Amino acid sequence: MSEHASVEREREKLLKELSQVQDELNSLRESMQTEVDIEVDEGDSEVFEREKNAALIAVMEIRLQDIQNALRSIEKGNYGICTRCNKPIEPGRLEVKPDATLCLNCQQEIERLSRRGRPTRQIQW
Ligand SMILES: [Zn+2]
């Protein structure tokens, strides 16, 4: 069935992305390990570089988890199903973000809720 073929294509895309992210993580971690000899003069920039790498590693690890989650849901046969409302995720959205686990509605809802702490309007009397 064509539906199955497209999931297979997504799986290949995810596996490719997975190995890219893993490569990147490996080289980032390597650079973290080799930079232990810090020259006093370079201390600040080295520290900055390490902090930047640490932040990148954190981002990559989340990305890796998302990809692995998507691959797992392909194996379980519920790939492309929103984990929040159990409705199918828009195909166009999956095309852009193959590791999406939420439909557009739920994604927007969550983003809206996470912004709610900030006041949108202040009355100045
Ligand atoms: Zn949803």
Side-chain angles (χ1 to χ4, degrees), residues 58-76:
V59 170
M60 288 291 171
E61 276 172 347
I62 292 170
R63 188 100 193 94
L64 200 67
Q65 269 172 21
D66 282 348
I67 296 169
Q68 281 167 339
N69 282 341
L71 283 167
R72 256 196 296 272
S73 57
I74 287 178
E75 277 161 31
K76 281 189 285 186

Side-chain angles (χ1 to χ4, degrees), residues 82-87 102-107:
C82 176
T83 53
R84 193 162 175 266
C85 67
N86 288 323
K87 283 178 192 157
L102 292 171
C103 71
L104 202 57
N105 268 339
C106 290
Q107 183 68 47

